[in-house]
Amino acid sequence: MKERIPPGQHRVNKLQVLHVGAVPDFNKNTWNFKVFGLIDNPFVLNWEEFNKLPIIKIKSDFHCVTSWSKLENEWEGVSLKEIIRIAKPKPEAKFLLIHCFNEYKTNLSLDDALQEGVMLANKCDGKYLSPEHGFPLRLVVPHLYAWKSAKWVRSIEFLDKEVLGYWEQRGYHKRGDPWKEERYS
Ligand SMILES: Nc1nc2c(c(=O)[nH]1)N[C@H]1C(S)=C(S)[C@@H](COP(=O)(O)O)O[C@H]1N2
Ligand SMILES: [Mo]
């Protein structure tokens, strides 16, 4: 059986609230989600439109680089693969930059964005996310360290070059695979 806890990690029984900056306010009437950059179909969805996208539910584990892991979280939301399918990336688009409402950013390769379980979630374990955990919309990237699981996602940009996010610019690894302990660059 595959080991569930990556090297240097320990198990906790709930997600720890962790972020830089303030929890942004959510206004259903002004909120939108934008997809732009090197794609054939740039789009913006308001709250109602976003909630018409097909919903998936996936159980996955969450590994924070500060060493805690919370196993078996059932996330509900829209697969990032679905967003990418709608966006139609141009051949040169190889990287994504995820922008958040509180200026936080994180980068992902297109390959990582297409992995199983990568999604934009608004529920966890059957309940809407609390504001501290990223409501109305957070990214979940189960196969990489949790700083990639950006809360309060505002837009996704497709790029031909890798542009680093908040922690990646501050010495954390560009990719962050917990099984390879890609903690720092
Ligand atoms: N917008 C934003 N998203 C963020 C962060 C942040 O600082 N800002 N921190 C990341 C880190 S380091 C972790 S461990 C997880 C924590 O998620 P949680 O607070 O829901 O447990 O959120 C990630 N997403
Ligand atoms: Mo983290």
Side-chain angles (χ1 to χ4, degrees):
M1 208 179 83
K2 195 180 180 236
E3 184 62 61
R4 284 290 285 275
I5 306 277
Q9 296 290 114
H10 68 277
R11 187 173 178 169
V12 295
N13 52 27
K14 66 191 206 29
L15 294 174
Q16 314 291 297
V17 173
L18 204 60
H19 54 260
V20 287
V23 174
D25 286 329
F26 167 64
N27 179 338
K28 186 168 168 279
N29 301 315
T30 56
W31 184 91
N32 63 34
F33 168 71
K34 180 173 151 184
V35 181
F36 68 109
L38 298 171
I39 53 180
D40 284 337
N41 183 33
F43 62 95
V44 181
L45 301 175
N46 66 24
W47 181 242
E48 201 181 314
E49 291 163 341
F50 187 88
N51 285 288
K52 285 184 186 146
L53 294 172
I55 297 296
I56 56 165
K57 269 191 206 177
I58 295 185
K59 271 194 191 150
S60 59
D61 299 344
F62 199 81
H63 309 293
C64 172
V65 71
T66 63
S67 88
W68 56 270
S69 290
K70 165 67 177 73
L71 306 184
E72 293 269 317
N73 311 289
E74 190 189 62
W75 300 102
E76 190 173 328
V78 177
S79 163
L80 196 57
K81 215 181 267 177
E82 175 68 13
I83 300 292
I84 294 168
R85 191 188 63 76
I86 300 170
K88 299 190 171 61
K90 295 187 184 292
E92 62 272 28
K94 295 282 182 252
F95 300 97
L96 277 65
L97 187 62
I98 316 298
H99 301 259
C100 300
F101 276 89
N102 65 351
E103 300 300 313
Y104 185 83
K105 291 181 184 63
T106 194
N107 55 279
L108 269 187
S109 69
L110 182 60
D111 283 349
D112 279 321
L114 290 167
Q115 295 299 304
E116 193 62 34
V118 179
M119 62 195 281
L120 287 163
N122 54 21
K123 288 186 183 174
C124 187
D125 297 331
K127 292 191 290 261
Y128 279 107
L129 300 173
S130 64
E132 308 78 67
H133 288 296
F135 189 81
L137 196 63
R138 81 173 302 165
L139 189 67
V140 178
V141 186
H143 68 290
L144 299 177
Y145 281 121
W147 81 75
K148 299 286 186 186
S149 292
K151 302 191 275 194
W152 316 295
V153 171
R154 174 196 193 94
S155 62
I156 298 182
E157 181 177 8
F158 288 74
L159 298 154
D160 55 355
K161 292 186 200 70
E162 189 164 45
V163 175
L164 300 182
Y166 181 88
W167 286 118
E168 294 88 353
Q169 282 177 20
R170 288 166 175 77
Y172 284 86
H173 198 277
K174 291 192 295 186
R175 179 157 185 264
D177 181 339
W179 297 97
K180 298 182 186 156
E181 282 204 76
E182 291 175 343
R183 295 175 190 273
Y184 310 105
S185 60

